[in-house]
Amino acid sequence: MNVDGIRQRFTETLPACDWATVRYMEEDRNFICVRDDVVQPLDSSLDAGVMVTVSVDGGVGYASTSDLGLSGLQDAAQKAKKWAQLDAQHGLLKKEDAQAPQQSGQYLGPCEKPWSSVSLEDKVNVLRDACERTQAEHIVERMAWLYNTNVKSMLLWDGGEIEQNYSILVPEIRATSNKRASTETRSFGGGRLARQGGLEILDQEGFNEAPERISAEAVELLFAPQCPEGEMDLLLAPDQMVLQIHESIGHPLELDRILGDERNYAGTSFVTMDMFGEFQYGSELLNISFNPSMTNEVASYAFDDNGTPAQKEFLIKNGILLRPLGSSLSQARADLPGVANARACSWKRPPIDRMANLNLESGDNSFDELVAQVEKGVYMESNCSWSIDDSRNKFQFGCERAQLIENGELKGVVRRPNYRGISSSFWRSLKGVGNDVRILGTPNCGKGEPNQLVRVGHATPHALFSNVEVFGGEA
Amino acid sequence: MKQLFESCVTHIENSLQGAEAYTANFKAEESDFVRFNKSSIRQAGSVRQAHLGIDLINGNKHAAGSTTLGADPDTDKAAIDKLINTLREQTAVVPEDPYLLINESDKSNSVVRGKELPQSEQLVQSVLDAGKGRDLVGILASGPVFAGFASSHGQRDWYENRSFHIDWSFYHQLDRAVKTAYAGCTWSDDEFNQQVETAASRIEPLSRESIKVKPGPQRVYLTPAALKNITGMLGWGGFGMRAHKSKQTPLLQMVESNAQLNKLVSIYENAENGVAPSFQSQGFQRPDCIPLIENGLYKNCLVSPRSSLEYETPCNGAYDSEAPVSLEMAGGSLKREEILQKLDTGIWIDNLWYLNYSDRNVCRMTGMTRFATFWVENGEIVAPLEVMRFDETVYRMLGENLIDLTEEREMIIDSNTYNSRSTGSTLLPGALIDDFRFTL
């Protein structure tokens, strides 16, 4: 990245305007996959470009380009100015709502063992070994992969700049078993082991110890009975809690949804602006934080993409809804407090209100203590199906694997576990929170028009809910 | 953009060493995106992006990668050199790929669709006019999308599509809305205004007091837009050769247990009627029409070049995902004017939302109703229905419980803009279904 060159060209191309920024973003992505012991085609990609944002008469316009030359930036600046002028005439927002960034700064993500520090041959061998070790009777497909991306971003404006650099790793192992018309898949983390950092994450998460267990569990599921049907206690593992938090707390608290921006695509919210400060979202055990400073979590940063300094804030404390996931612009529109969550998926898209790291704070119970509380229930692990209505209220989730809990003890494995509920009442049935927080994250959260996929972190312990509607697959 | 693509290809060819060969993929767009909320502009901007993907091949070893392109020839050449050097180093390390299938054809083709579009500012004004006195929310996307392919064997393919897509909803209140779209290569004020008035006329029933119905089976009519969610889910592994051979297809019962759908159901991958490029990312041509399901029976899989070698089946131009890009479903005998009468008492569903498999082995899907969903009694729309969750197998909904499909079909251009504007499309009828299971 030639930042000095972009800064120089930005200064040269700045049109007459109230304020302007240029946001450079570069992603160097690498994907290695071994499937059934065959190394799949390697994929290395570099995606780099800028977005120019111009404000004129209170209107804001955007233009992005992968042409980083002088003429490319000039063209983008003129287009952004044209859109700003049209927005000033016909825009939804008030003139004073959008503001230029104020504070310069830097963020450097954690990384002990960079992707480039290990040879390609060694990385391939780690995956070949993992893939080979998932081999077993009834296993019909085996996969192991590593996805890495190295992100460099720079937000420049007249008088300041923010630089943020970090690396991300998503490791995965999958084994699929089959017998006649029955197929089961077990994975390392359901694709939700996205973390900031380098290859040290493999050791931290026990990647090398996982293949045989994953394979054995995939086969075990083939012969397990269906998950029972009925209302019962439900204990959720962190790799399912990720989706439960994401869909039924994260999305409904996005302030731009509440303000109606997403009604044509991602949807609305059952949460209304008058609920903040008083709505009992969950039981007293529910404490949800927006925490961009969590080491290793996938969406940690010091500033959001509008340049707002980021810090930890509680969205829900002791079950009471306190503040939405609203960036500075949405806060001004709604007259509500918020967080630094204006995020863009890349240089091609403008920032919108997103989740970043959205976490369930640790509770007091060990896993065994949570199990001991259950007379009759199910323990579910690893999300494999997710669905929720457009106001993020009526949900249904499915998991890869479950175990019965009877009289405070874990019992036999059951397959195709599902459960459903309603967000606005579900969290009030939270009756136990573990003290075993695990840092996870999802690499593909979709939202926005034009569409944007961002990475979202969720650190969460096990959690126990009462009286949940649980059921299995087709009889 | 074509000039940029050609200059990149020339540079790749000049950079090859020894026995090296290549395939190259080019993707680009020059799009304007304007999103609206409450009949005003919410965000307005433009995107100019160009990407070059290269698969560098040396015998049976290869490595793939991509880079963004600007417009300065020297900068782009340096980016290509860097990419090729990386791929060359990787190719030296990786083992031979037993499933590398190279298209050795030198046949080239070029498709250029659409001419000059109206200025985006003019389209924005049309949308703002449509929103006057109404609550309009949605997006306008407009401009050209480009794709190119080249290989060492001399093949050169080019695709250029200048189009617009307005995808919007008129809201009554809360989650009640009429969602519609107007898309194409040639703008017509009359067509757009007609679409606006048709959608606006459907807002009135949404203002009536809503009805709740208890979970359980209901007779439903799914519009083509709602049925698209079902076929979209089927496309997630349902028709791919790899998903079939590895027993992960949601249509596993059709493969393993000879399960059938209703004889009315015929589904095709029809490249000829779609708007996507006629070539896939490794340069293989997509045949005009591939029957996937005919008269309720499974016919063919979509076979990518890799699956072709792995499973010893001819490649039929599928992308690596082996998902349909231009899916088409045959119509039935239900006439548009008879839908309400034949529905009699039940639920009219304009749109479904957020589908997922609740039991993939038996192709059971769950999802929600969304936007305009109405309770119908004796062939008359009575009131909007509060959103409901369904959980139902395709074998029931498109099997024993399928009453009829509409004679008339609707072409739905994909409005997806993740990373870049989609060129996918779906041609579908509506479906009248009995005992559709609602659960929440």
Side-chain angles (χ1 to χ4, degrees):
Chain A
M1 171 177 60
N2 185 347
V3 176
D4 289 339
I6 291 173
R7 187 184 291 112
Q8 175 68 30
R9 291 192 284 277
F10 172 56
T11 307
E12 288 173 22
T13 57
L14 203 62
C17 61
D18 299 339
W19 55 266
T21 65
V22 62
R23 179 166 51 83
Y24 172 85
M25 200 164 172
E26 172 190 308
E27 283 212 35
D28 171 16
R29 304 183 188 114
N30 300 284
F31 182 68
I32 309 174
C33 177
V34 177
R35 174 175 167 261
D36 292 340
D37 303 323
V38 175
V39 179
Q40 303 297 294
L42 301 181
D43 193 1
S44 312
S45 65
L46 181 73
D47 183 29
V50 294
M51 170 159 278
V52 179
T53 303
V54 171
S55 178
V56 177
D57 299 332
V60 177
Y62 306 88
S64 60
T65 180
S66 57
D67 180 358
L68 303 179
L70 184 63
S71 63
L73 266 84
Q74 273 173 339
D75 186 44
Q78 289 308 316
K79 281 180 179 166
K81 183 175 180 178
K82 178 194 76 172
W83 290 121
Q85 288 166 332
L86 199 65
D87 187 48
Q89 280 183 285
H90 302 289
L92 175 70
L93 308 187
K94 285 187 277 187
K95 288 191 173 188
E96 62 275 17
D97 285 348
Q99 301 286 335
Q102 302 292 324
Q103 185 181 327
S104 296
Q106 288 185 323
Y107 171 78
L108 181 63
C111 187
E112 293 170 24
K113 194 190 278 189
W115 180 261
S116 58
S117 70
V118 175
S119 72
L120 173 62
E121 198 167 12
D122 285 350
K123 285 177 287 213
V124 166
N125 285 339
V126 166
L127 294 174
R128 284 180 123 168
D129 176 61
C131 189
E132 189 179 339
R133 286 163 51 205
T134 52
Q135 201 157 24
E137 188 182 3
H138 298 295
I139 295 292
V140 291
E141 186 177 74
R142 298 166 291 121
M143 296 177 80
W145 72 75
L146 293 174
Y147 172 79
N148 152 263
T149 183
N150 305 295
V151 181
K152 294 178 180 176
S153 71
M154 176 76 76
L155 183 66
L156 303 170
W157 66 94
D158 186 13
E161 64 183 55
I162 294 168
E163 185 178 0
Q164 306 198 90
N165 299 332
Y166 51 91
S167 296
I168 285 167
L169 187 79
V170 187
E172 184 60 288
I173 303 170
R174 283 193 186 170
T176 298
S177 61
N178 171 265
K179 189 178 178 194
R180 290 191 290 274
S182 188
T183 297
E184 301 289 340
T185 295
R186 192 75 179 104
S187 68
F188 185 47
R192 270 124 199 148
L193 255 167
R195 295 254 292 263
Q196 275 189 20
L199 292 161
E200 71 277 6
I201 291 170
L202 297 183
D203 291 337
Q204 291 167 4
E205 288 298 319
F207 187 85
N208 193 43
E209 291 77 44
E212 287 86 356
R213 174 184 61 78
I214 289 167
S215 176
E217 289 180 352
V219 175
E220 183 183 32
L221 285 168
L222 269 187
F223 300 95
Q226 288 277 356
C227 179
E229 186 173 339
E231 203 169 274
M232 62 190 79
D233 281 2
L234 176 64
L235 178 57
L236 296 180
D239 60 5
Q240 166 56 27
M241 281 298 292
V242 166
L243 261 286
Q244 187 66 58
I245 295 167
H246 184 94
E247 300 288 6
S248 70
I249 293 180
H251 280 308
L253 296 192
E254 289 164 345
L255 190 48
D256 61 343
R257 296 175 73 109
I258 297 170
L259 290 164
D261 291 352
E262 291 286 334
R263 290 177 297 162
N264 186 57
Y265 180 61
T268 61
S269 176
F270 72 90
V271 174
T272 52
M273 288 198 272
D274 57 345
M275 289 179 175
F276 292 97
E278 54 188 63
F279 182 65
Q280 186 79 42
Y281 206 101
S283 76
E284 287 193 348
L285 296 173
L286 183 64
N287 290 291
I288 295 288
S289 65
F290 170 87
N291 189 355
S293 58
M294 189 96 162
T295 305
N296 284 125
E297 201 162 357
V298 75
S300 290
Y301 51 76
F303 299 85
D304 71 10
D305 289 328
N306 277 346
T308 307
Q311 61 182 31
K312 180 176 178 176
E313 301 283 0
F314 276 89
L315 306 187
I316 298 171
K317 199 157 195 178
N318 301 325
I320 302 292
L321 180 61
L322 298 180
R323 67 173 66 205
L325 284 163
S327 61
S328 57
L329 185 63
S330 297
Q331 291 168 39
R333 292 167 70 190
D335 194 22
L336 282 170
V339 295
N341 70 323
R343 300 182 66 201
C345 66
S346 77
W347 56 271
K348 301 165 209 171
R349 299 288 184 259
I352 56 176
D353 288 351
R354 302 304 300 248
M355 285 173 254
N357 293 335
L358 188 71
N359 303 339
L360 173 61
E361 297 286 312
S362 178
D364 296 329
N365 297 125
S366 67
F367 177 72
D368 289 344
E369 287 169 345
L370 291 173
V371 173
Q373 288 185 48
V374 180
E375 191 179 319
K376 180 195 171 198
V378 175
Y379 170 49
M380 294 191 192
E381 295 176 88
S382 310
N383 180 275
C384 66
S385 176
W386 58 100
S387 173
I388 192 162
D389 73 45
D390 82 296
S391 63
R392 302 285 154 164
N393 212 8
K394 291 183 175 181
F395 63 77
Q396 179 169 321
F397 294 110
C399 289
E400 291 177 4
R401 180 180 190 269
Q403 271 182 275
L404 300 176
I405 308 175
E406 290 168 8
N407 301 316
E409 289 184 8
L410 279 174
K411 298 289 185 181
V413 171
V414 290
R415 64 177 166 160
R416 297 178 202 165
N418 289 269
Y419 66 99
R420 60 172 80 99
I422 295 176
S423 300
S424 59
S425 55
F426 177 78
W427 289 98
R428 287 181 221 144
S429 71
L430 178 67
K431 69 173 189 179
V433 178
N435 56 13
D436 49 359
V437 172
R438 199 168 169 211
I439 299 173
L440 299 168
T442 179
N444 295 309
C445 173
K447 186 185 170 185
E449 290 179 305
N451 307 150
Q452 304 197 39
L453 281 178
V454 297
R455 294 175 279 260
V456 173
H458 298 296
T460 172
H462 285 82
L464 177 63
F465 301 85
S466 58
N467 303 318
V468 180
E469 190 182 348
V470 167
F471 56 100
E474 195 78 0
Chain B
M1 283 290 183
K2 193 173 185 184
Q3 198 177 351
L4 175 62
F5 167 60
E6 286 170 347
S7 67
C8 289
V9 170
T10 302
H11 185 66
I12 294 169
E13 299 208 323
N14 291 338
S15 306
L16 297 181
Q17 297 175 359
E20 287 176 343
Y22 78 98
T23 63
N25 248 301
F26 179 84
K27 285 184 178 174
E29 68 175 314
E30 291 171 334
S31 297
D32 293 332
F33 295 109
V34 182
R35 71 186 306 203
F36 302 87
N37 183 13
K38 297 187 170 75
S39 301
S40 299
I41 293 173
R42 171 61 189 89
Q43 279 177 324
S46 304
V47 177
R48 186 247 184 233
Q49 61 172 325
H51 301 264
L52 180 71
I54 301 173
D55 192 358
L56 188 69
I57 302 158
N58 199 335
N60 274 333
K61 291 185 169 192
H62 67 128
S66 66
T67 189
T68 36
L69 299 171
D72 174 59
D74 290 338
T75 308
D76 288 340
K77 281 179 184 173
I80 293 168
D81 289 343
K82 189 178 173 192
L83 176 60
I84 288 178
N85 285 337
T86 300
L87 299 179
R88 189 170 285 139
E89 287 169 15
Q90 293 177 343
T91 305
V93 173
V94 295
E96 292 196 344
D97 184 353
Y99 307 134
L100 170 63
L101 182 66
I102 300 166
N103 185 17
E104 296 184 349
S105 162
D106 62 355
K107 281 187 184 171
S108 303
N109 76 61
S110 175
V111 172
V112 177
R113 285 206 189 96
K115 295 179 183 171
E116 287 304 309
L117 293 169
Q119 290 290 311
S120 290
E121 291 89 329
Q122 186 184 329
L123 303 184
V124 168
Q125 191 56 54
S126 296
V127 177
L128 291 171
D129 289 345
K132 279 180 185 160
R134 302 176 181 126
D135 181 1
L136 180 149
V137 56
I139 185 165
L140 157 71
S142 179
V145 173
F146 309 92
F149 176 82
S151 76
S152 299
H153 294 277
Q155 184 181 348
R156 300 286 184 276
D157 292 324
W158 183 249
Y159 168 87
E160 194 171 320
N161 188 25
R162 290 169 194 274
S163 65
F164 61 88
H165 197 138
I166 304 173
D167 183 293
W168 82 95
S169 305
F170 283 138
Y171 263 80
H172 168 61
Q173 62 171 21
L174 299 174
D175 57 3
R176 289 187 220 163
V178 175
K179 183 176 169 72
T180 190
Y182 177 52
C185 296
T186 308
W187 175 268
S188 159
D189 281 333
D190 287 344
E191 284 180 15
F192 177 62
N193 291 335
Q194 190 180 1
Q195 192 83 353
V196 168
E197 292 311 316
T198 302
S201 70
R202 303 186 62 236
I203 301 173
E204 186 281 322
L206 292 170
S207 65
R208 301 175 197 170
E209 194 170 339
S210 64
I211 283 178
K212 272 186 182 176
V213 296
K214 285 183 181 172
Q218 295 285 352
R219 192 177 176 99
V220 299
Y221 171 68
L222 302 180
T223 63
L227 189 60
K228 178 176 178 283
N229 290 83
I230 307 284
T231 59
M233 281 300 292
L234 279 181
W236 183 15
F239 305 116
M241 174 60 80
R242 187 191 129 195
H244 274 236
K245 291 291 186 184
S246 65
K247 313 293 186 189
Q248 294 173 82
T249 171
L251 297 175
L252 189 62
Q253 289 200 331
M254 291 184 103
V255 181
E256 295 290 324
S257 312
N258 297 318
Q260 298 180 17
L261 299 180
N262 193 295
K263 285 185 178 172
L264 286 170
V265 177
S266 292
I267 297 175
Y268 308 90
E269 168 70 343
N270 194 335
E272 192 179 20
N273 285 352
V275 293
S278 60
F279 52 94
Q280 54 84 271
S281 42
Q282 283 100 12
F284 288 85
Q285 295 300 302
R286 300 169 59 223
D288 287 347
C289 186
I290 303 168
L292 303 173
I293 292 174
E294 266 190 331
N295 304 321
L297 297 174
Y298 203 91
K299 283 289 170 190
N300 294 293
C301 285
L302 294 171
V303 186
S304 68
R306 287 191 75 72
S307 286
S308 170
L309 283 184
E310 183 169 1
Y311 302 114
E312 298 174 348
T313 308
C315 171
N316 56 17
Y319 286 84
D320 287 339
S321 65
E322 298 184 332
V325 177
S326 313
L327 186 140
E328 177 178 331
M329 188 167 172
S333 59
L334 180 62
K335 298 193 184 310
R336 180 196 284 231
E337 58 275 17
E338 294 174 346
I339 298 171
L340 277 170
Q341 182 203 335
K342 292 278 173 67
L343 176 57
D344 190 24
T345 294
I347 301 172
W348 175 294
I349 300 171
D350 253 21
N351 302 87
L352 294 174
W353 166 248
Y354 219 134
L355 275 61
N356 212 321
Y357 289 109
S358 55
D359 187 345
R360 199 177 175 93
N361 281 265
V362 294
C363 208
R364 194 177 85 187
M365 300 172 181
T366 187
M368 296 298 304
T369 62
R370 192 178 178 187
F371 297 115
T373 302
F374 298 103
W375 178 250
V376 175
E377 277 182 18
N378 302 319
E380 297 283 337
I381 287 177
V382 175
L385 196 70
E386 295 195 1
V387 294
M388 293 199 71
R389 172 168 295 287
F390 72 91
D391 200 340
E392 183 60 288
T393 74
V394 164
Y395 296 109
R396 278 194 290 265
M397 70 173 100
L398 296 182
E400 65 211 52
N401 292 340
L402 179 65
I403 300 167
D404 205 351
L405 298 166
T406 56
E407 196 174 55
E408 197 173 330
R409 296 181 297 169
E410 190 178 321
M411 175 63 111
I412 301 169
I413 307 293
D414 190 3
S415 61
N416 184 323
T417 50
Y418 285 108
N419 200 39
S420 59
R421 286 165 60 202
S422 170
T423 54
S425 63
T426 318
L427 181 62
L428 291 172
L432 187 62
I433 299 168
D434 217 358
D435 289 337
F436 192 78
R437 293 197 311 182
F438 290 96
T439 56
L440 188 65

